[in-house]
């Protein structure tokens, strides 16, 4: 009140605030000429307060609601790696590429969503394929995963190992496949290098469209129609990620190839067949040797008998 020109004084036990209010005249100006039709008005305003005593004041503080969280599309860090074995504990380092392995041996691949702690995010391998060059769009491709389902062939078995041992299993996806090589145009020789690529979706599992977009059950036919709104509401990001380097596949020597075939769990029939073949060959050799020895003994005996007759 002091800023408005009010004065303060004690009157007995009262504290008096006094303020002089004055109205200004309303002027009409035309160039250098000014006129008015109002008179000066003044009013004295006084407020009296008890000089001593306690007063209770009620104060209610209303806080504003917190602002809604800002949502926006942020960068996604995705990584595609090959591990040394099916324990998925030791990945190959970038400097170890190109990896060298024998044809037909398993490759253990893992896709990872990095630097995120949101458990509602789910990594989904939509498509994976191999190319003979580092270009993911190379027209020479071999499909490994299509629309979330592994593609099986006599030359390459593909399956998805579990990820339950990881702290955020939904942020990872594993892929195991048999090593293979591309054939040259004449189909008589193989190309040395193979590059792996995957189209990865990161989805929001809390979205009502998550089941139809990112939780595909292989072997079931989709009976829904996609639309832009549905896909945008469930897919957080989509990226094509390539392996850190190529894989160099070599043909195994004959002896190693035979050993590899016998040690393959799915080739128990090969073990039995090979053993049977060896047994037959061994029996035939023994029979031939026995026949040869018998013939030789008969001839020797005939010679001795002829000699004793003269």
């Amino acid at each position: 009140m002091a800023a408005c020109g009010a004065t303060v004084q004690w009157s007995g036990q009262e504290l008096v605030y006094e303020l002089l209010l004055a109205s200004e005249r309303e002027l009409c100006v035309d160039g250098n000429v000014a006129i008015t039709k109002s008179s000066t008005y003044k009013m004295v305003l006084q407020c009296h307060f008890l000089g001593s005593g306690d007063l209770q004041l009620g104060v209610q503080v209303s806080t504003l609601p917190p602002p809604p969280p800002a949502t926006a599309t942020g960068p996604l860090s995705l990584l595609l790696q090959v591990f040394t074995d099916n324990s998925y504990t030791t990945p190959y380092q970038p400097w170890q590429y190109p990896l060298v392995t024998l044809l037909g041996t398993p490759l253990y691949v893992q896709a990872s969503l990095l630097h995120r702690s949101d458990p509602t995010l789910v990594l989904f391998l939509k498509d994976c394929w191999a190319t003979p060059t580092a270009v993911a769009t190379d027209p020479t491709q071999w499909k490994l995963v299509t629309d979330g389902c592994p593609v099986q062939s006599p030359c390459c078995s593909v399956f998805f190992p579990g990820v339950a041992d990881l702290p955020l299993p939904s942020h990872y996806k594993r892929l195991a496949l048999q090593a293979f090589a591309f054939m040259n145009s004449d189909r008589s020789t193989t190309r040395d290098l193979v590059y792996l690529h995957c189209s990865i979706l990161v989805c929001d599992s809390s979205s009502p469209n998550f089941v139809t977009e990112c939780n595909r059950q292989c072997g079931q036919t989709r009976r829904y129609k996609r639309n832009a709104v549905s896909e945008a509401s469930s897919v957080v990001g989509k990226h094509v990620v390539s392996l850190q380097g190529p894989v160099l596949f070599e043909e195994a020597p004959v002896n190693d190839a035979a050993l590899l075939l016998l040690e393959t769990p799915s080739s128990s029939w090969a073990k039995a067949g090979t053993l049977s073949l060896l047994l037959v060959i061994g029996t035939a050799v023994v029979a031939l040797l026995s026949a040869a020895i018998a013939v030789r003994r008969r001839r020797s005996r005939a010679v001795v008998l002829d000699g004793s007759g003269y």
Side-chain angles (χ1 to χ4, degrees):
M1 293 180 67
C4 298
T7 60
V8 182
Q9 59 182 354
W10 285 94
S11 177
Q13 298 294 324
E14 294 181 336
L15 186 63
V16 180
Y17 286 85
E18 184 176 295
L19 184 64
L20 176 63
L21 301 178
S23 66
E24 297 181 352
R25 287 191 173 98
E26 182 182 2
L27 300 180
C28 297
V29 180
D30 184 9
N32 296 328
V33 179
I35 62 173
T36 182
K37 67 174 183 178
S38 59
S39 58
T40 302
Y41 177 80
K42 293 183 179 181
M43 181 179 66
V44 177
L45 177 63
Q46 289 184 342
C47 295
H48 295 255
F49 298 94
L50 291 176
S52 61
D54 296 328
L55 296 177
Q56 293 183 353
L57 300 177
V59 178
Q60 181 178 2
V61 179
S62 298
T63 60
L64 296 175
T71 59
T73 302
L76 294 174
S77 298
L78 299 168
L79 181 63
L80 198 63
Q81 294 174 292
V82 175
F83 286 73
T84 57
D85 54 40
N86 59 0
S87 66
Y88 285 89
T89 55
T90 306
Y92 288 105
Q93 300 302 315
W95 57 268
Q96 294 178 283
Y97 288 86
L99 304 179
V100 180
T101 185
L102 298 178
L103 289 173
T105 57
L107 284 181
Y108 302 101
V109 183
Q110 177 174 287
S112 307
L113 173 62
L114 306 178
H115 315 308
R116 293 299 181 98
S117 58
D118 188 352
T120 63
L121 294 180
V122 176
L123 186 149
F124 179 69
L125 287 182
K126 189 177 188 318
D127 300 292
C128 291
W129 63 96
T131 60
T133 66
V135 181
T137 56
D138 191 317
T140 302
Q141 299 181 0
W142 186 264
K143 295 186 182 299
L144 303 171
V145 177
T146 299
D147 206 12
C149 296
V151 178
Q152 305 296 347
S153 71
C155 297
C156 183
S157 297
V158 182
F159 66 96
F160 294 137
V163 291
D165 57 314
L166 297 173
L168 284 172
S170 64
H171 291 193
Y172 302 88
K173 194 70 174 181
R174 288 171 177 169
L175 179 70
L177 60 123
Q178 287 179 304
F180 64 93
F182 285 95
M183 302 296 295
N184 285 323
S185 57
D186 58 4
R187 296 190 179 182
S188 61
T189 56
T190 60
R191 301 186 186 184
D192 294 333
L193 299 179
V194 173
Y195 297 80
L196 299 181
H197 319 273
C198 284
S199 175
I200 301 177
L201 299 182
V202 177
C203 305
D204 181 7
S205 61
S206 63
S207 169
N209 302 299
F210 169 73
V211 174
T212 57
E213 186 63 34
C214 299
N215 197 26
R216 167 78 185 275
Q217 299 297 322
C218 296
Q220 296 180 357
T221 304
R222 296 189 177 188
R223 297 182 178 179
Y224 67 93
K225 294 182 179 179
R226 294 185 182 180
N227 56 72
V229 175
S230 173
E231 186 169 347
S233 62
S234 58
V235 178
V236 178
K238 180 179 180 181
H239 300 275
V240 173
V241 183
S242 300
L243 204 60
Q244 296 169 298
V247 181
L248 175 62
F249 298 128
E250 294 183 343
E251 295 187 16
V254 176
N255 293 338
D256 293 344
L259 182 61
L260 179 63
L261 176 62
L262 291 177
E263 291 181 348
T264 302
S266 61
S267 60
S268 57
W269 60 269
K271 291 184 179 180
T274 304
L275 292 176
S276 300
L277 180 60
L278 292 176
L279 181 60
V280 171
I281 294 174
T283 304
V285 170
V286 171
L288 290 174
L289 289 175
S290 299
I293 292 173
V295 171
R296 186 172 184 180
R297 285 180 178 177
R298 290 177 182 176
R299 290 180 178 176
S300 300
R301 185 178 179 181
V303 170
V304 172
L305 291 175
D306 293 339
S308 61
Y310 287 101

